[in-house]
Amino acid sequence: MALTLLLLLTAPGADVSSSTGQQFLCEGDPLEALPFKGSVDAANIPNSKANSVPGAFVVLRWRNVSLQLPRTNNAGVPSYSDGRWWQQELDPDHPEFAQLRGTVKGYRCERQD
């Protein structure tokens, strides 16, 4: 897992948006979110928000799982999904995090200081 993260951090065009990950507690377990800026699409497309464009992605580490979720092309607040997992920070202190499998299983999250 550390090697994968190292490769992501050093990959061309995969500029991490901040030097450290954001820390959350989701359903009682720590979750780290590492946002990466996209380099695929132009930054002036209509749905660019929070310095994030399609091509951006987030790496989530939670419950011994590491997820790389690509930015969706939805308008508004950036959201990330691979078709199974979904994350969005409409409220930065309480991000939405869910698993999509027939039904939506939401996980309650809150920012850790």
PDB file of all heavy atoms in Angstrom, residues 22-35:
ATOM      1  N   GLN A  22      -6.512  14.576   4.453  1.00  0.00           N
ATOM      2  CA  GLN A  22      -7.537  15.030   5.380  1.00  0.00           C
ATOM      3  C   GLN A  22      -7.935  13.839   6.234  1.00  0.00           C
ATOM      4  O   GLN A  22      -8.087  12.729   5.733  1.00  0.00           O
ATOM      5  CB  GLN A  22      -8.736  15.562   4.602  1.00  0.00           C
ATOM      6  CG  GLN A  22      -8.388  16.727   3.703  1.00  0.00           C
ATOM      7  CD  GLN A  22      -9.544  17.088   2.806  1.00  0.00           C
ATOM      8  OE1 GLN A  22     -10.700  17.019   3.208  1.00  0.00           O
ATOM      9  NE2 GLN A  22      -9.247  17.453   1.585  1.00  0.00           N
ATOM     10  N   GLN A  23      -8.111  14.068   7.522  1.00  0.00           N
ATOM     11  CA  GLN A  23      -8.421  12.987   8.459  1.00  0.00           C
ATOM     12  C   GLN A  23      -9.883  13.059   8.882  1.00  0.00           C
ATOM     13  O   GLN A  23     -10.361  14.116   9.289  1.00  0.00           O
ATOM     14  CB  GLN A  23      -7.523  13.095   9.699  1.00  0.00           C
ATOM     15  CG  GLN A  23      -6.036  13.138   9.392  1.00  0.00           C
ATOM     16  CD  GLN A  23      -5.540  11.881   8.717  1.00  0.00           C
ATOM     17  OE1 GLN A  23      -5.925  10.773   9.086  1.00  0.00           O
ATOM     18  NE2 GLN A  23      -4.684  12.037   7.719  1.00  0.00           N
ATOM     19  N   PHE A  24     -10.571  11.923   8.781  1.00  0.00           N
ATOM     20  CA  PHE A  24     -11.970  11.821   9.174  1.00  0.00           C
ATOM     21  C   PHE A  24     -12.159  10.576  10.029  1.00  0.00           C
ATOM     22  O   PHE A  24     -11.318   9.671  10.025  1.00  0.00           O
ATOM     23  CB  PHE A  24     -12.875  11.715   7.942  1.00  0.00           C
ATOM     24  CG  PHE A  24     -12.756  12.883   7.005  1.00  0.00           C
ATOM     25  CD1 PHE A  24     -11.951  12.808   5.888  1.00  0.00           C
ATOM     26  CD2 PHE A  24     -13.442  14.056   7.250  1.00  0.00           C
ATOM     27  CE1 PHE A  24     -11.814  13.883   5.028  1.00  0.00           C
ATOM     28  CE2 PHE A  24     -13.321  15.138   6.401  1.00  0.00           C
ATOM     29  CZ  PHE A  24     -12.508  15.052   5.277  1.00  0.00           C
ATOM     30  N   LEU A  25     -13.269  10.526  10.732  1.00  0.00           N
ATOM     31  CA  LEU A  25     -13.686   9.330  11.449  1.00  0.00           C
ATOM     32  C   LEU A  25     -15.011   8.922  10.813  1.00  0.00           C
ATOM     33  O   LEU A  25     -15.980   9.688  10.833  1.00  0.00           O
ATOM     34  CB  LEU A  25     -13.863   9.630  12.939  1.00  0.00           C
ATOM     35  CG  LEU A  25     -13.948   8.432  13.861  1.00  0.00           C
ATOM     36  CD1 LEU A  25     -12.664   7.614  13.798  1.00  0.00           C
ATOM     37  CD2 LEU A  25     -14.202   8.879  15.293  1.00  0.00           C
ATOM     38  N   CYS A  26     -15.042   7.736  10.198  1.00  0.00           N
ATOM     39  CA  CYS A  26     -16.241   7.256   9.504  1.00  0.00           C
ATOM     40  C   CYS A  26     -16.704   5.959  10.148  1.00  0.00           C
ATOM     41  O   CYS A  26     -15.958   4.962  10.131  1.00  0.00           O
ATOM     42  CB  CYS A  26     -15.966   7.044   8.021  1.00  0.00           C
ATOM     43  SG  CYS A  26     -15.571   8.574   7.143  1.00  0.00           S
ATOM     44  N   GLU A  27     -17.898   6.015  10.712  1.00  0.00           N
ATOM     45  CA  GLU A  27     -18.461   4.851  11.409  1.00  0.00           C
ATOM     46  C   GLU A  27     -17.486   4.302  12.449  1.00  0.00           C
ATOM     47  O   GLU A  27     -17.334   3.099  12.602  1.00  0.00           O
ATOM     48  CB  GLU A  27     -18.864   3.758  10.414  1.00  0.00           C
ATOM     49  CG  GLU A  27     -19.970   4.158   9.475  1.00  0.00           C
ATOM     50  CD  GLU A  27     -21.305   4.438  10.183  1.00  0.00           C
ATOM     51  OE1 GLU A  27     -21.662   3.716  11.126  1.00  0.00           O
ATOM     52  OE2 GLU A  27     -21.980   5.392   9.761  1.00  0.00           O
ATOM     53  N   GLY A  28     -16.782   5.210  13.136  1.00  0.00           N
ATOM     54  CA  GLY A  28     -15.880   4.816  14.206  1.00  0.00           C
ATOM     55  C   GLY A  28     -14.477   4.448  13.775  1.00  0.00           C
ATOM     56  O   GLY A  28     -13.622   4.182  14.614  1.00  0.00           O
ATOM     57  N   ASP A  29     -14.204   4.417  12.468  1.00  0.00           N
ATOM     58  CA  ASP A  29     -12.879   4.042  11.971  1.00  0.00           C
ATOM     59  C   ASP A  29     -12.230   5.221  11.251  1.00  0.00           C
ATOM     60  O   ASP A  29     -12.902   5.958  10.527  1.00  0.00           O
ATOM     61  CB  ASP A  29     -12.979   2.851  11.010  1.00  0.00           C
ATOM     62  CG  ASP A  29     -13.430   1.589  11.711  1.00  0.00           C
ATOM     63  OD1 ASP A  29     -12.872   1.282  12.783  1.00  0.00           O
ATOM     64  OD2 ASP A  29     -14.336   0.906  11.186  1.00  0.00           O
ATOM     65  N   PRO A  30     -10.903   5.396  11.412  1.00  0.00           N
ATOM     66  CA  PRO A  30     -10.220   6.503  10.739  1.00  0.00           C
ATOM     67  C   PRO A  30     -10.258   6.350   9.220  1.00  0.00           C
ATOM     68  O   PRO A  30     -10.119   5.249   8.689  1.00  0.00           O
ATOM     69  CB  PRO A  30      -8.777   6.410  11.240  1.00  0.00           C
ATOM     70  CG  PRO A  30      -8.710   5.311  12.212  1.00  0.00           C
ATOM     71  CD  PRO A  30     -10.012   4.582  12.218  1.00  0.00           C
ATOM     72  N   LEU A  31     -10.456   7.474   8.538  1.00  0.00           N
ATOM     73  CA  LEU A  31     -10.420   7.527   7.082  1.00  0.00           C
ATOM     74  C   LEU A  31      -9.498   8.680   6.710  1.00  0.00           C
ATOM     75  O   LEU A  31      -9.622   9.778   7.247  1.00  0.00           O
ATOM     76  CB  LEU A  31     -11.812   7.757   6.493  1.00  0.00           C
ATOM     77  CG  LEU A  31     -11.867   7.835   4.959  1.00  0.00           C
ATOM     78  CD1 LEU A  31     -13.115   7.152   4.436  1.00  0.00           C
ATOM     79  CD2 LEU A  31     -11.787   9.258   4.461  1.00  0.00           C
ATOM     80  N   GLU A  32      -8.549   8.425   5.810  1.00  0.00           N
ATOM     81  CA  GLU A  32      -7.678   9.469   5.291  1.00  0.00           C
ATOM     82  C   GLU A  32      -8.037   9.705   3.831  1.00  0.00           C
ATOM     83  O   GLU A  32      -8.161   8.755   3.059  1.00  0.00           O
ATOM     84  CB  GLU A  32      -6.208   9.072   5.400  1.00  0.00           C
ATOM     85  CG  GLU A  32      -5.284  10.150   4.877  1.00  0.00           C
ATOM     86  CD  GLU A  32      -3.811   9.806   5.019  1.00  0.00           C
ATOM     87  OE1 GLU A  32      -3.466   8.608   4.966  1.00  0.00           O
ATOM     88  OE2 GLU A  32      -3.020  10.747   5.171  1.00  0.00           O
ATOM     89  N   ALA A  33      -8.225  10.965   3.461  1.00  0.00           N
ATOM     90  CA  ALA A  33      -8.556  11.339   2.085  1.00  0.00           C
ATOM     91  C   ALA A  33      -7.415  12.180   1.519  1.00  0.00           C
ATOM     92  O   ALA A  33      -7.056  13.209   2.082  1.00  0.00           O
ATOM     93  CB  ALA A  33      -9.861  12.125   2.046  1.00  0.00           C
ATOM     94  N   LEU A  34      -6.845  11.714   0.418  1.00  0.00           N
ATOM     95  CA  LEU A  34      -5.766  12.428  -0.276  1.00  0.00           C
ATOM     96  C   LEU A  34      -6.280  12.870  -1.641  1.00  0.00           C
ATOM     97  O   LEU A  34      -6.416  12.044  -2.544  1.00  0.00           O
ATOM     98  CB  LEU A  34      -4.551  11.516  -0.470  1.00  0.00           C
ATOM     99  CG  LEU A  34      -3.813  11.126   0.794  1.00  0.00           C
ATOM    100  CD1 LEU A  34      -3.031   9.834   0.575  1.00  0.00           C
ATOM    101  CD2 LEU A  34      -2.887  12.236   1.199  1.00  0.00           C
ATOM    102  N   PRO A  35      -6.617  14.155  -1.811  1.00  0.00           N
ATOM    103  CA  PRO A  35      -7.100  14.628  -3.114  1.00  0.00           C
ATOM    104  C   PRO A  35      -5.939  14.914  -4.070  1.00  0.00           C
ATOM    105  O   PRO A  35      -4.902  15.428  -3.662  1.00  0.00           O
ATOM    106  CB  PRO A  35      -7.845  15.914  -2.759  1.00  0.00           C
ATOM    107  CG  PRO A  35      -7.172  16.401  -1.517  1.00  0.00           C
ATOM    108  CD  PRO A  35      -6.674  15.177  -0.784  1.00  0.00           C
TER     109      PRO A  35
END
